Amino acid sequence: MPTDPKRGASPVRITPRLIADDVHDQLLQLIVDGHIDAEQPLSIDGLARDFGVSSSPVREALARLEATGLVRRFALRGYSVAPALTAGELGDLMDARLLIEPGAAAAAAARTAESGIEALLTSAQEALETAPRGGRFDDVREYYDADRAFHLAVIAGTGNRFIAQAYEALGGQFQRFRLFSGRGVTDAEATIAEHAAIRSAIVRGDAKAASEGMHAHLTGVRHRALGEMADIS
């Protein structure tokens, strides 16, 4: 139907932010910044009182954080903060990503024209280049979001929900951001350059270069992250 010019444009529906999102973000910041100790129990009722909310959004937020590996749930004992990954565990996590993401980058490059991935990658890349890189998680949240958006765009570009599910199950990027607590992002320039190479390969439909670029990026992240852990210990 034509729009009545006297009435103007139709209003755009606004989606309200869920309380669970706010609880999730607050808990995430507290854990990554080390304000809640590793292996500390997390009481649903206690957190609900602290945040001034009901137990339902707290329970939902904890379930989401469990999927990232930042909290753990034990039968009859509830939730607690997970310990930071050991060097061996972090290495294993990166090895798992190396099994998934280079192939995903190649698959995304093979269907660039139909997926609309170029705009997503470009937006994430531009956000990464301008994001703050400070010492607290609140200061690097934009950087984290841009980094994650880039990798999620590559995964989405495959058009394969099973690859997306496998990637989400790793929950690995949160874990590395625990290393930035108090130090800030230490490898932004390398990451930005590596992302640019991956983006370029995918946009021009070069599956081989996209796979090799992602492999080089994740190998670099693995090396840098393990180096950061060695510096901290």
Side-chain angles (χ1 to χ4, degrees):
M1 294 178 59
T3 303
D4 183 347
K6 295 181 180 179
R7 298 183 62 187
S10 299
V12 176
R13 182 179 294 276
I14 297 174
T15 302
R17 182 175 170 87
L18 297 175
I19 294 175
D21 292 336
D22 292 325
V23 174
H24 171 274
D25 288 354
Q26 287 288 329
L27 282 172
L28 175 61
Q29 181 175 335
L30 290 169
I31 292 171
V32 173
D33 281 341
H35 296 303
I36 304 179
D37 294 333
E39 302 187 70
Q40 180 174 327
L42 297 168
S43 164
I44 291 176
D45 291 339
L47 289 170
R49 286 194 298 271
D50 290 341
F51 291 128
V53 299
S54 69
S55 61
S56 294
V58 174
R59 189 173 288 106
E60 180 180 336
L62 287 171
R64 288 165 57 186
L65 288 169
E66 182 186 10
T68 70
L70 287 178
V71 305
R72 294 178 177 176
R73 184 168 63 89
F74 298 94
L76 305 179
R77 288 193 297 162
Y79 291 93
S80 65
V81 177
L85 295 182
T86 65
E89 289 170 334
L90 183 59
D92 288 345
L93 169 62
M94 297 311 301
D95 286 344
R97 291 184 64 182
L98 279 163
L99 289 175
I100 295 173
E101 294 188 66
R111 58 189 303 274
T112 298
E114 61 186 284
S115 67
I117 192 175
E118 181 176 359
L120 294 174
L121 293 176
T122 300
S123 176
Q125 182 73 2
E126 291 174 350
L128 193 69
E129 291 171 355
T130 59
R133 306 166 192 175
R136 296 179 304 120
F137 186 67
D138 193 43
D139 298 327
V140 299
R141 183 61 186 260
E142 290 179 34
Y143 183 94
Y144 163 78
D145 286 340
D147 185 43
R148 178 168 165 78
F150 185 92
H151 286 271
L152 284 175
V154 174
I155 297 298
T158 68
N160 187 318
R161 66 183 178 91
F162 296 104
I163 293 176
Q165 289 169 358
Y167 177 77
E168 284 291 343
L170 294 177
Q173 287 175 298
F174 279 119
Q175 292 287 358
R176 191 184 170 219
F177 271 74
R178 294 176 91 170
L179 298 176
F180 293 151
S181 178
R183 307 173 75 232
V185 180
T186 57
D187 66 341
E189 298 307 324
T191 295
I192 288 168
E194 289 159 2
H195 278 202
I198 296 165
R199 177 198 169 280
S200 177
I202 290 176
V203 168
R204 67 176 185 268
D206 189 335
K208 183 174 184 293
S211 177
E212 291 174 348
M214 182 64 80
H215 189 279
H217 170 50
L218 294 177
T219 299
V221 170
R222 184 181 192 277
H223 176 75
R224 296 190 293 269
L226 291 175
E228 287 165 3
M229 292 188 78
D231 290 342
I232 293 171
S233 61

